[in-house]
Amino acid sequence: MRADRIDHIGVAVKSIEERLKVYRDLLKLDPVKIEELPERGLRVAFVNVGDTRIELLEPIAENSQVSKFLETRGEGIHHMAFHVDDIEAAIKEAVELEIVPLTKEAQPGASGTRVVFLHPKSAGGVLIELVEGSH
């Protein structure tokens, strides 16, 4: 498995509309897509910056991972995501290297992608997301 690019950087926010003042209004970056992921308790907005994207993550459920993150750490960078061609191979290789995936199988991500997160304790304190598919 080889990551071929940074897919996006996830930023936890309390309000997408409020934070779009920075990305859309100040930096003049257009949100590409805003969608809800009810199974994950999230509303997400993607903003393109060259070949990389910023994903704004707003909780829509009190028990989502992002709402817990906001309670303990406040707004800010939540994770880094890397694109991979084969998510199953990536999960298998991570386990072989004793890097702990947070789920045993890939989960549905935004825009029909498949994703898996790697435990931050296995990755030097960084929550890493592996993404298969394109937006």
Side-chain angles (χ1 to χ4, degrees), residues 9-14 40-42 55-80 102 117-118 120 125-128:
I9 298 169
V11 179
V13 301
K14 293 178 182 174
R40 294 182 51 204
L42 292 175
E55 178 187 36
L56 303 178
L57 304 150
E58 175 188 328
I60 57 172
E62 290 182 24
N63 61 347
S64 76
Q65 290 297 319
V66 173
S67 60
K68 293 174 188 173
F69 180 92
L70 287 169
E71 286 174 19
T72 58
R73 297 188 183 178
E75 293 183 308
I77 293 177
H78 180 262
H79 66 273
M80 291 184 57
L102 292 178
F117 286 88
L118 304 178
V126 177
L127 180 61
I128 292 178

Side-chain angles (χ1 to χ4, degrees), residues 15-129:
S15 166
I16 286 174
E17 287 306 317
E18 186 65 28
R19 291 301 153 240
L20 282 177
K21 289 179 185 177
V22 173
Y23 297 96
R24 179 190 58 212
D25 302 342
L26 176 65
L27 299 175
K28 309 298 186 224
L29 304 170
D30 293 323
V32 175
K33 186 174 193 176
I34 298 176
E35 69 179 288
E36 284 195 10
L37 303 172
E39 67 281 356
R40 294 182 51 204
L42 292 175
R43 183 171 174 238
V44 300
F46 285 98
V47 180
N48 286 337
V49 184
D51 292 337
T52 304
R53 294 174 308 141
I54 304 295
E55 178 187 36
L56 303 178
L57 304 150
E58 175 188 328
I60 57 172
E62 290 182 24
N63 61 347
S64 76
Q65 290 297 319
V66 173
S67 60
K68 293 174 188 173
F69 180 92
L70 287 169
E71 286 174 19
T72 58
R73 297 188 183 178
E75 293 183 308
I77 293 177
H78 180 262
H79 66 273
M80 291 184 57
F82 296 88
H83 179 266
V84 297
D85 287 330
D86 185 342
I87 197 106
E88 279 83 16
I91 293 169
K92 182 177 186 247
E93 189 169 344
V95 170
E96 289 171 357
L97 293 169
E98 299 179 357
I99 298 169
V100 180
L102 292 178
T103 57
K104 292 182 181 185
E105 296 180 358
Q107 305 296 309
S111 301
T113 59
R114 298 175 64 222
V115 304
V116 67
F117 286 88
L118 304 178
H119 199 291
K121 289 183 181 175
S122 298
V126 177
L127 180 61
I128 292 178
E129 179 183 18

